[in-house]
Structure formats: C-alpha cells, structure tokens
C-alpha cells in the first residue's frame, strides 16, 4: 500500500509538470505565430503583446524547474522515471529559448516599421515561422504520445527550415547589392530569419529529448544542417 501511495503521488507530480510544459508550449506557439504576423502586418500592439508574454514563459520555466527539483529531492526517481524528469527540464529550457527568439522578432518589428519594405521578405519570414510553429506542435504531440517516430520526423524537417533560411539570406544579399539603401532593413530581416532558424534548432532538440525519453538514447547520427552561414543570432 505504501508503494502504491508513493507511485500515485509521483504520477500526480508528473501530471502537474506535464501540464506546465503544455501551457508553456502553447504560449511559445502563440509567440511564434504572433511575432511573425506582427512583422507582416506592422502591428506594433501585437508585437508588444509578444514581448510581454515572454515574461510568462520565463515564469513557467522557473516553475517547471522548481517542480522537477522537488520531485528529484522527494521521490529520488531512477531509470525511466529519472529520464522523464530530466527530459522535461531540457524541454522547458528549449521552449524558453524559442520564446526569447520570438521576443527578438517582435522587438525588431518596431524598428522595421520605419524602414523601406523589402519585397516579399515579410511573407517569406512568416512562412518560415509557420513551419517552425508546426514543428513545435508536432514535437509536443510526440512528447504527450511518447511517439519517437513523430519526433524523428520533426528532426528531419529542420533541414527544410535551414533551406528556407539559406534562400532568404541569398535574397537579402541581392537586395543589398542592388541598392545600398536596403542594407539596414535587410540586416534586421536577416537577424530575424536567423532567429527563426535557431527556433527550429531548439524545437529539434525537443524532438530529440522525446526520442531519448522513449528509446533511452539520443539519436547517434549527426543532424544534417542546411545552413552555411556562420552568424550569431541575438538571443536576448
């Protein structure tokens, strides 16, 4: 009876943590969508909403870390149970980073509103962000369903995001060479595209944690990266 009580309490703890992860994931998905839409429509009010929502995402990550630390201290999980708790902590960390990149996109929107529009760029960025948003949705579904195959599919799709980023980078170079007046706007747009590419990397890391959770091992094959541009996206 005592063992059953401990198991039941542990299950409740995991359900609480899982609910926090899904709430956090929902906010991050909305952040990706809203930040790209704010850029496309020049909606500064929506951009401010994204920046404000990032505080809630950060608070949820802290709550997840506190809950997982409490579970480790009180339940001393081992084996699969410990793997679950550690994976949750890493998933929360990746979600927080994606939220940061969405906030960055929203911050640059306020600057780009006052600059000449680069033909087709906003729509392309929105399509790229939509792909990452769908990857995140599928990665979270894979986590809930403990579906390693779905997580592997998400991991493979990161290559598509890299290719979209490469295409945008080449377009921005063309615009800058054709007219130096485009340089500042294209630099901001490039950083936005790079931020979205980095979102894809963190979503892929979430998918890899799902694979680890299900199989007990991380994928051992190197992740194919389609990006050839060595730049550092601003994280905060």
């Amino acid at each position: 009876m005592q063992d059953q009580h401990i198991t039941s309490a542990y299950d409740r703890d995991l359900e609480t943590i899982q609910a926090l992860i899904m709430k956090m994931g929902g906010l991050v998905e909305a952040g990706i969508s809203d930040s790209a839409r704010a850029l496309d429509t020049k909606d500064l009010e929506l951009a401010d909403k994204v920046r404000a929502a990032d505080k809630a995402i950060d608070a949820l990550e802290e709550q997840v870390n506190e809950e997982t630390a409490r579970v480790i201290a009180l339940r001393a999980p081992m084996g699969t149970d410990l793997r679950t708790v550690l994976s949750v902590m890493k998933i929360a960390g990746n979600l927080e980073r994606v939220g940061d990149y969405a906030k960055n996109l929203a911050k640059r929107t306020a600057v780009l509103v006052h600059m000449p529009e680069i033909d087709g760029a906003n729509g392309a960025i929105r399509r790229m962000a939509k792909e990452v948003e769908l990857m995140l949705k599928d990665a979270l579904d894979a986590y809930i369903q403990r579906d390693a195959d779905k997580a592997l599919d998400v991991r493979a799709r990161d290559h598509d995001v890299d290719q979209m980023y490469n295409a945008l980078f080449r377009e921005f170079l063309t615009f800058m060479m054709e007219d130096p007046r485009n340089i500042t706007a294209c630099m901001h747009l490039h950083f936005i595209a790079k931020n979205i590419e980095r979102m894809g990397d963190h979503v892929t890391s979430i998918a890899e944690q799902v694979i680890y959770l299900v199989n007990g091992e991380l994928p051992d094959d190197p992740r194919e990266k389609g990006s050839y541009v060595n730049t550092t996206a601003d994280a905060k």
Side-chain angles (χ1 to χ4, degrees):
M1 290 294 293
Q2 180 67 18
D3 289 343
Q4 290 177 349
H5 175 73
I6 292 173
T7 301
S8 177
Y10 175 71
D11 288 342
R12 287 196 300 271
D13 289 339
L14 286 185
E15 287 174 4
T16 297
I17 294 170
Q18 184 163 283
L20 291 171
I21 285 289
M22 298 314 295
K23 183 177 181 181
M24 192 177 179
L27 289 176
V28 173
E29 283 183 43
I32 298 171
S33 176
D34 289 347
S35 59
R37 182 155 55 92
L39 174 67
D40 193 19
T41 62
K42 296 182 171 59
D43 189 336
L44 295 183
E45 185 176 342
L46 184 59
D48 287 341
K49 175 186 170 184
V50 173
R51 296 172 66 176
D54 184 61
K55 295 179 181 178
I57 293 170
D58 292 345
L60 282 169
E61 187 205 13
E62 290 183 13
Q63 197 173 349
V64 168
N65 288 339
E66 289 171 1
E67 288 294 325
T68 51
R70 186 180 66 82
V71 167
I72 291 172
L74 294 180
R75 313 296 182 200
M78 299 177 65
T80 302
D81 291 341
L82 180 59
R83 196 159 72 228
T84 300
V85 174
L86 295 177
S87 294
V88 164
M89 292 179 71
K90 290 184 178 180
I91 288 171
N94 280 293
L95 286 172
E96 190 274 336
R97 295 300 288 153
V98 177
D100 279 345
Y101 286 123
K103 178 184 68 175
N104 285 351
L105 202 161
K107 286 165 63 177
R108 289 186 183 269
T109 294
V111 178
L112 284 163
V113 163
H114 305 290
M115 294 184 180
E117 188 167 325
I118 303 301
D119 187 42
N122 291 353
I125 284 173
R126 191 166 180 177
R127 287 190 295 274
M128 187 178 173
K130 184 63 177 179
E131 178 58 30
V132 173
E133 181 189 348
L134 292 173
M135 285 173 60
L136 177 56
K137 179 183 182 301
D138 288 345
L140 293 172
D141 286 346
Y143 166 68
I144 292 295
Q145 299 162 9
R146 301 298 192 263
D147 188 335
D149 289 337
K150 180 174 281 190
L152 281 167
D153 178 65
V154 171
R155 187 173 186 260
R157 283 154 57 191
D158 184 51
H159 182 71
D160 297 335
V161 175
D162 293 339
Q163 292 298 322
M164 295 169 81
Y165 166 70
N166 287 341
L168 273 172
F169 177 75
R170 288 192 293 268
E171 286 185 22
F172 294 149
L173 280 181
T174 300
F175 277 113
M176 287 188 286
M177 288 187 293
E178 287 179 348
D179 188 343
R181 290 173 297 182
N182 292 327
I183 290 176
T184 302
C186 283
M187 289 300 295
H188 281 289
L189 288 165
H190 167 252
F191 271 102
I192 284 173
K194 187 62 180 176
N195 279 183
I196 297 172
E197 188 268 337
R198 290 294 295 138
M199 288 181 191
D201 288 342
H202 284 286
V203 172
T204 303
S205 294
I206 292 172
E208 290 177 341
Q209 284 303 312
V210 174
I211 296 166
Y212 170 70
L213 181 57
V214 175
N215 297 333
E217 294 181 352
L218 288 167
D220 56 6
D221 58 309
R223 188 193 310 175
E224 183 180 1
K225 293 298 293 174
S227 176
Y228 63 84
V229 184
N230 184 18
T231 59
T232 301
D234 47 345
K236 290 291 182 184

